[in-house]
Each structure stands twice: as structure tokens, then as C-alpha cells.
């Protein structure tokens, strides 16, 4: 029941009938326009944050590959409730003394198809043997299919004039390293 008062509390209550049912938990009545019966729909269709997903790295990882490879623990499989989800990825680590410059690439894949990428300088030049840190992040809207199982994962590779091992040691060097993947749906 509802009452449109127009500042008149004595106005009569009106009845809304929606498909002869009381709906289900988590549903709301949605207008279908003037003269049409409202319909029950899932609240999650209209609000983000009801199907969030997230992972954080807990183990040490490294790569010296110039080919793409999965970053450990940076993969989420879920069933979206919206046709667009918001993906946030962040990572940091270090490279042992290296000369000359080196970079770290990372990319986000949706069901094995690249949807975004980024790059950061891992080290520029270290003549005095200094360990250099690096970090990168990527945030983006990713189209998905509502109700279809979807995998979002992150890969990395390294390159440069002289390729050295890139470290993301979240277990042994938590002050220097982190990695996380968050999906807002």
C-alpha cells in the first residue's frame, strides 16, 4: 500500500498489485510506467556492491619471463549481476640492482581476452647497487554478461635492456610488496 499525500494526510491509501505475489527476499517493486502493473526485481540490479569479489597475494612471487604469465593468486571467477563491473588491481615489488633500465608489464584478462594493461619502470639505472622498488595499478570498467560465469585474472612480464628477476615478495618483504585484485559488482 502507498499514499500520495500532496500534503493531505486524509487522502485514501491505494493498493499496488504486483503479479499476485509477495516477491522474494531482496526484491523491490519497480514501476513499469503509467497504467502498468509494477514488477518485482532484484535489488542487486540497481545497486553496486552486492556481489563484490577480492583477493590479496599472500605468497612470494617473481618472474624473469619476457612472455606473459599468470600472477599467483590474482584470479577471480564469479557470476556477475551487472553488465559492467569495476576492476581494481594494484601491485608493488622490487628488483635487485640492475643496469640499465627494466620495466614490468601487467594486464587484465576477462575470460582469456585482454581488456586492459599497464606498465611501470622497474629500475632506471643503479650504478651503486641499490635495490629499486616499483609499483603499478590499473582500474577500469569491464563489460561482462549478467549470470554467466566470468574469470578475471592478471598476468605480468618483464623486459628491458638487461632482464633481471622481478620480485613481489608479499610474505618475506611486506614493507616493499603487495598485490590485490578487487571487483565491484
Amino acid at each position: 500500500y502507498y499514499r500520495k499525500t500532496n500534503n493531505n494526510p486524509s487522502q485514501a491509501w491505494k493498493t499496488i498489485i504486483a503479479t499476485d505475489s509477495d516477491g522474494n527476499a531482496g526484491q523491490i517493486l519497480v514501476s513499469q510506467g503509467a497504467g502498468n502493473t509494477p514488477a518485482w526485481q532484484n535489488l542487486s540490479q540497481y545497486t553496486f556492491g552486492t556481489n563484490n569479489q577480492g583477493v590479496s597475494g599472500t605468497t612470494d612471487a617473481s618472474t624473469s619471463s619476457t612472455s606473459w604469465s599468470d600472477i599467483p593468486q590474482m584470479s577471480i571467477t564469479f557470476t556477475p549481476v551487472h553488465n559492467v563491473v569495476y576492476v581494481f588491481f594494484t601491485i608493488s615489488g622490487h628488483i635487485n640492482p640492475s643496469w640499465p633500465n627494466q620495466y614490468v608489464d601487467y594486464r587484465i584478462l576477462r575470460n582469456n581476452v585482454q581488456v586492459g594493461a599497464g606498465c611501470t619502470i622497474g629500475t632506471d639505472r643503479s650504478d651503486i647497487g641499490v635495490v629499486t622498488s616499483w609499483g603499478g595499478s590499473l582500474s577500469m570498467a569491464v563489460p561482462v554478461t549478467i549470470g554467466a560465469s566470468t574469470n578475471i585474472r592478471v598476468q605480468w612480464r618483464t623486459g628491458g635492456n638487461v632482464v633481471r628477476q622481478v620480485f613481489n615478495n608479499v610474505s618475506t618483504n611486506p614493507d616493499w610488496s603487495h598485490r590485490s585484485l578487487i571487483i565491484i559488482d
Side-chain angles (χ1 to χ4, degrees):
Y1 292 97
Y2 76 97
R3 177 170 59 187
K4 182 178 176 185
T5 64
N6 293 331
N7 295 323
N8 180 2
S10 63
Q11 186 175 8
W13 288 87
K14 294 189 175 187
T15 302
I16 297 174
I17 300 173
T19 64
D20 296 326
S21 80
D22 294 330
N24 296 313
Q27 289 187 316
I28 58 172
L29 279 175
V30 176
S31 173
Q32 303 301 302
N36 296 313
T37 303
W40 290 107
Q41 294 187 4
N42 291 326
L43 179 61
S44 62
Q45 290 178 258
Y46 301 96
T47 57
F48 276 85
T50 57
N51 189 34
N52 294 341
Q53 313 290 322
V55 293
S56 292
T58 58
T59 61
D60 290 349
S62 65
T63 186
S64 57
S65 176
T66 57
S67 298
W68 291 108
S69 63
D70 291 344
I71 301 176
Q73 300 173 303
M74 294 294 101
S75 178
I76 297 173
T77 300
F78 69 110
T79 303
V81 296
H82 296 93
N83 60 2
V84 171
V85 297
Y86 299 93
V87 177
F88 302 90
F89 168 70
T90 181
I91 189 169
S92 68
H94 74 279
I95 298 175
N96 286 333
S98 175
W99 183 89
N101 55 4
Q102 184 173 348
Y103 58 85
V104 180
D105 291 330
Y106 44 90
R107 68 180 182 175
I108 294 177
L109 293 96
R110 179 200 57 226
N111 297 332
N112 297 318
V113 175
Q114 181 176 319
V115 293
C119 179
T120 186
I121 293 177
T123 183
D124 189 9
R125 184 177 176 134
S126 178
D127 288 337
I128 58 174
V130 175
V131 173
T132 56
S133 62
W134 57 270
S137 64
L138 188 61
S139 56
M140 58 187 308
V142 177
V144 293
T145 302
I146 295 172
S149 181
T150 302
N151 176 261
I152 302 288
R153 65 188 167 109
V154 187
Q155 294 183 326
W156 63 350
R157 68 181 179 189
T158 187
N161 294 343
V162 177
V163 176
R164 305 256 193 242
Q165 193 165 16
V166 174
F167 297 94
N168 175 247
N169 292 345
V170 297
S171 178
T172 57
N173 298 116
D175 292 339
W176 298 352
S177 298
H178 77 278
R179 65 183 182 272
S180 64
L181 175 62
I182 298 169
I183 299 170
I184 306 295
D185 181 13

